[in-house]
Amino acid sequence: DATAELSVALLLSVCRRLPEAAQQVKSGGWTTWKPLWMCGYGLSDSTVGIIGLGRIGQAVARRLKPFGVRKFLYTGSGPKPESAAEFGAEFVPLTRLAEESDFVVVTCALTPATQGMCNKDFFSRMKKTSVFVNTSRGAVVNQEDLYDALASGQIAAAGLDVTTPEPLPTDHPLLSLKNCVILPHIGSATYATRSTMAVLAANNLLAGLRGEPMPHELKL
């Protein structure tokens, strides 16, 4: 839930240019009203593509649906008709998701199949008005290709909560772009979620010391 909330917050921040707008207030850029100043893109009547319709992907779609999203597309290792039914989401190839989505949200796991999947070919298929958000793992994205797509206007904007490496060097080219918002991997950063994570770890440790099966073991 915490990561899904952060994904939506990041998407809204990027598509409505909130960090850029806030900076304009501080720097004196806010003057008289101008018709197209600080205009961005809205979710109403849009198509949202979700890469990885797992628990987080579903939670993101559940939160975006009330914004008036017209259509959900998703891709992954295979169709998930039961999960997709709640949103009327359509399972499509990655290429079609890139071509038709107004917003792309990446919530998949990092595997050999997904590493670098969001690359030059992917971004070249996206609309020039599309917004890209990644809250999964940094290595899913080819950051050099993303920089080129953003700098050239191939896509409108991007929001990242994950990068390669982490922390991202302060002189990284992506940080020089106004249309790219980067957060320091804070998807799970709520007090309640971090407390739950600590309790899970402690219960695993206690069970392991007692020689019992760990209640929240990660099967590798």
Side-chain angles (χ1 to χ4, degrees):
D1 286 336
T3 302
E5 290 171 3
L6 190 279
S7 299
V8 174
L10 182 55
L11 188 154
L12 291 170
S13 294
V14 173
C15 74
R16 295 301 301 273
R17 301 170 66 181
L18 300 189
E20 189 180 350
Q23 184 57 41
Q24 289 294 306
V25 176
K26 293 180 180 180
S27 66
W30 181 16
T31 57
T32 57
W33 183 82
K34 296 179 282 291
L36 299 180
W37 186 66
M38 285 294 111
C39 283
Y41 300 95
L43 281 158
S44 181
D45 203 35
S46 68
T47 297
V48 173
I50 298 178
I51 300 177
L53 196 67
R55 289 181 299 171
I56 294 174
Q58 292 171 50
V60 169
R62 199 168 290 123
R63 286 160 173 76
L64 289 179
K65 191 175 180 180
F67 282 90
V69 172
R70 176 174 53 86
K71 187 176 184 180
F72 285 99
L73 304 175
Y74 75 101
T75 193
S77 56
K80 295 184 174 182
E82 293 183 3
S83 301
E86 179 182 349
F87 320 105
E90 181 182 356
F91 180 75
V92 297
L94 182 66
T95 53
R96 185 179 159 198
L97 183 143
E99 291 164 357
E100 297 185 14
S101 298
D102 299 299
F103 301 91
V104 173
V105 184
V106 185
T107 56
C108 63
L110 176 61
T111 67
T114 63
Q115 184 161 359
M117 71 188 304
C118 297
N119 54 21
K120 183 177 181 179
D121 178 69
F122 179 85
F123 296 124
S124 70
R125 294 175 183 272
M126 290 176 63
K127 304 174 186 178
K128 292 186 182 298
T129 55
S130 292
V131 172
F132 176 83
V133 171
N134 182 22
T135 53
S136 61
R137 289 294 182 267
V140 173
V141 177
N142 182 310
Q143 291 180 169
E144 289 73 22
D145 292 347
L146 175 60
Y147 173 84
D148 291 341
L150 289 166
S152 66
Q154 178 62 53
I155 65 174
L160 310 174
D161 185 42
V162 288
T163 61
T164 304
E166 293 182 354
L168 194 67
T170 56
D171 60 352
H172 194 281
L174 282 172
L175 294 172
S176 68
L177 299 173
K178 289 183 178 180
N179 58 343
C180 186
V181 177
I182 300 179
L183 302 178
H185 203 152
I186 56 171
S188 66
T190 68
Y191 290 111
T193 299
R194 292 289 171 84
S195 294
T196 299
M197 290 165 66
V199 171
L200 293 181
N203 285 336
N204 272 353
L205 180 61
L206 292 171
L209 290 171
R210 290 193 294 262
E212 300 170 359
M214 292 188 289
H216 305 285
E217 181 180 0
L218 176 62
K219 304 289 185 180
L220 296 176

